[in-house]
Amino acid sequence: MVNPPAAARRALPSVDRLLQQPQVAALIEQYGRPLVVETIRSIIDAQRAAMAQNIAAVDETALITRCAEYLAAATRPSIRPVFNLTGTVLHTNLGRALIGKIAAEAAMQAMTCAVNLEFDIDGGARGERDSHVEDWLRRLTGAEAAVVVNNNAAAVYLVLNTFAQKKEVIVSRGELVEIGGAFRIPDIMTRSGCKLREIGTTNRTHAKDFVEAIGDRTAALMKVHTSNYAIQGFTSAVPESEVATIAHEHQLPFWVDLGSGTLVELERWGLPHEPTPRDAIGNGADLVTFSGDKLLGGPQCGLIVGRKDLIAKIRKNPMKRALRIDKMRMAALEATLRLYADPDKLVKEVPTLRLLTRPQKDIAAQAARLLPALAAAVGDSADAAVIDCASQIGSGALPVDALPSAGIAITPRGKNRNSAAKRLSNAFRKLPWPVIGRVKDGAFIIDLRCLDDEARFVAQLAQLHAVQGTRD
Ligand SMILES: *Cc1c(COP(=O)(O)O)cnc(C)c1O
């Protein structure tokens, strides 16, 4: 190979010259001048470097096309909607609960209008941010008062930081939970300046373990809902009411971290029981913490409900300010809580509950409906079949119980099925509205429980072939 003649290198157009081309004027109109200038510069630089490596010169039109492609890719929104067909309804990496239309509209209004976030309209004076939801939370949990913060991790932190700095909190070893994304109860305890006093063993903790651990430095007794695992076999845990009695005999607060915390009895829809904040308060808890975007089906936030004097102390902690939620989420939370006034409407209006309670036969019927389109989309390379599968609630709720569901398994033909299934999974993720499923036993599996927009799903299948890539 010979070096490209100096003349060819010189033949690269200048940035100014490209900027004067009509197609580039259109790009400037769309993306703004600074971004286009920056892109043209880097594309010319890259082309100059490529030519020094004896890679053929390209003409001006090709450079401009490259520039347009780059700009389109660089300005595509980073947060994009996807189809969550993983079978996990509250998928933390996919954004957990979907809020309903009513809550979304409330959030939109709070975003685009001035609102009485901390303003008492009747009195014309400063108001309290949490006041918008406190009455609802009192009504729905039986607690005396409530505080709302950024998420449940923040709620846990704030409780510890308010009551247990330089003191001890007593927790059973069987409840030292790690939740996905490296949130560990023991770590957050350390960070909030509190000492964790572990008692009992992994599988068994008794009332006397709590009693014996109580000392001068004890700040609280805590129970954590072991939401993402179950300890089975030779086990023993101390019931909430008993821990509450022990705590109160020693003038200590008893706190329950529920994690998910549904505000309704899930049994009414044939789902397994999940403990409610009302249960915990009824059992004598002085404080209960739970998430807004797990089973509650609202925006991301953390709720602390409980005794009025304790909530007042939490509110006075300067860290509350650092952990508070914004007006959008407050509006969405209030709208979501209002829906709980009428449990009969919940399934219709709260997407999380609608998805969790979808009857298996509806999902199976949807799978049968979609099968021909999927079979056609994958062509001769794979077999598609309707399957029974099991969805999970996710985000730690009800770890052992699975919800009967239905989906479609796409099994590549030929050998090396596992890597072919992974490529298929890749291709589905590359669709304009990425489809997120899972690969299991040499098949790509989609659970249809959370598929709402069937028409959109089918419409983009025609593009699957184009993004499918090479085969074995
Ligand atoms: C999920 C969970 C948390 C953390 O809640 P986030 O809202 O994700 O911050 C804390 N404790 C328990 C028991 C949980 O299940």
Side-chain angles (χ1 to χ4, degrees):
M1 289 268 216
V2 289
N3 273 332
R9 247 179 289 164
R10 273 199 305 277
L12 271 173
S14 70
V15 174
D16 283 339
R17 190 185 146 73
L18 282 183
L19 284 172
Q20 279 153 25
Q21 303 309 305
Q23 306 100 298
V24 175
L27 293 177
I28 290 173
E29 179 64 29
Q30 190 176 352
Y31 299 108
R33 193 174 174 90
L35 200 53
V36 174
V37 172
E38 193 184 306
T39 305
I40 288 181
R41 259 199 201 115
S42 68
I43 279 172
I44 291 179
D45 285 351
Q47 183 57 26
R48 186 174 296 119
M51 283 158 66
Q53 301 287 317
N54 293 327
I55 294 166
V58 292
D59 63 13
E60 242 172 65
T61 315
L63 287 176
I64 293 171
T65 305
R66 219 176 266 176
C67 185
E69 284 167 3
Y70 180 89
L71 284 164
T75 55
R76 188 174 66 174
S78 175
I79 290 208
R80 291 191 287 151
V82 302
F83 285 110
N84 171 14
L85 306 190
T86 58
T88 300
V89 178
L90 294 170
H91 197 300
T92 298
N93 303 140
L94 301 181
R96 285 198 191 155
L98 314 179
I99 64 171
K101 193 160 173 283
I102 295 172
E105 277 165 4
M108 176 74 94
Q109 190 164 59
M111 270 188 273
T112 52
C113 305
V115 290
N116 59 332
L117 181 62
E118 289 185 357
F119 185 77
D120 170 11
I121 293 177
D122 292 337
R126 193 181 179 286
E128 169 62 53
R129 188 174 289 238
D130 295 328
S131 69
H132 303 287
V133 291
E134 194 169 26
D135 282 349
W136 283 115
L137 286 167
R138 274 207 300 252
R139 195 169 167 270
L140 292 164
T141 66
E144 291 172 2
V147 171
V148 189
V149 288
N150 180 58
N151 58 9
N152 193 35
V156 169
Y157 174 87
L158 196 57
V159 170
L160 288 167
N161 185 266
T162 306
F163 300 105
Q165 240 185 337
K166 300 200 177 91
K167 291 186 179 167
E168 290 181 358
V169 169
I170 301 174
V171 193
S172 160
R173 286 202 170 83
E175 298 176 359
L176 294 175
V177 189
E178 171 176 320
I179 295 131
F183 173 83
R184 289 182 169 182
I185 291 284
D187 292 346
I188 207 143
M189 287 213 171
T190 313
R191 282 300 173 119
S192 53
C194 142
K195 187 164 179 286
L196 171 67
R197 181 72 189 265
E198 300 171 33
I199 56 162
T201 58
T202 305
N203 58 332
R204 292 172 74 84
T205 298
H206 307 283
K208 73 170 176 20
D209 295 325
F210 278 98
V211 176
E212 285 167 7
I214 294 173
D216 291 347
R217 300 184 59 206
T218 308
L221 272 53
M222 179 189 194
K223 267 182 85 69
V224 183
H225 179 46
T226 56
S227 47
N228 51 5
Y229 64 97
I231 295 177
Q232 287 169 334
F234 183 58
T235 65
S236 172
V238 189
E240 282 175 0
S241 53
E242 215 171 311
V243 183
T245 305
I246 297 168
H248 298 155
E249 278 169 5
H250 294 81
Q251 282 80 48
L252 291 167
F254 169 47
W255 161 32
V256 177
D257 178 29
L258 272 187
S260 209
T262 167
L263 294 176
V264 274
E265 301 286 338
L266 295 183
E267 292 91 323
R268 64 181 286 137
W269 300 293
L271 294 169
H273 179 75
E274 172 76 13
T276 63
R278 183 180 285 284
D279 293 338
I281 297 283
N283 289 335
D286 301 292
L287 288 170
V288 183
T289 46
F290 56 105
S291 290
D293 59 349
K294 292 184 180 173
L295 279 170
L296 198 155
Q300 179 192 302
C301 61
L303 302 135
I304 312 175
V305 301
R307 248 167 59 192
K308 202 169 178 163
D309 58 324
L310 302 179
I311 295 291
K313 278 194 184 138
I314 292 173
R315 215 169 256 143
K316 284 207 194 89
N317 186 334
M319 284 305 292
K320 160 72 167 50
R321 169 67 181 254
L323 302 172
R324 72 187 186 184
I325 65 166
D326 56 87
K327 58 183 179 169
M328 283 96 85
R329 288 188 284 157
M330 187 60 90
L333 176 64
E334 188 209 334
T336 305
L337 292 176
R338 230 181 308 126
L339 294 170
Y340 277 85
D342 184 358
D344 291 336
K345 288 206 192 112
L346 279 173
V347 162
K348 190 163 153 275
E349 303 290 353
V350 178
T352 298
L353 293 173
R354 176 167 49 77
L355 295 173
L356 287 174
T357 54
R358 261 190 91 188
Q360 203 266 353
K361 68 170 177 26
D362 287 5
I363 310 172
Q366 185 180 34
R369 238 179 1 252
L370 291 175
L371 184 65
L374 274 159
V378 296
D380 294 337
S381 65
D383 295 303
V386 171
I387 54 160
D388 284 345
C389 56
S391 323
Q392 296 179 20
I393 296 184
S395 285
L398 307 171
V400 194
D401 302 287
L403 313 168
S405 186
I408 291 173
I410 304 172
T411 312
R413 292 181 190 159
K415 55 182 167 35
N416 224 341
R417 277 173 36 199
N418 238 340
S419 56
K422 277 187 195 140
R423 274 200 304 283
L424 205 51
S425 162
N426 236 332
F428 273 92
R429 281 203 316 278
K430 287 209 179 89
L431 288 168
W433 197 297
V435 173
I436 320 290
R438 64 200 149 95
V439 170
K440 198 180 160 223
D441 302 333
F444 175 60
I445 291 171
I446 52 176
D447 178 329
L448 297 176
R449 174 176 295 278
C450 298
L451 179 57
D452 264 336
D453 195 344
E454 210 172 301
R456 184 188 293 274
F457 178 81
V458 173
Q460 68 169 3
L461 286 178
Q463 295 175 59
L464 186 70
H465 200 67
V467 298
Q468 206 160 358
T470 53
R471 297 196 192 138
D472 267 355

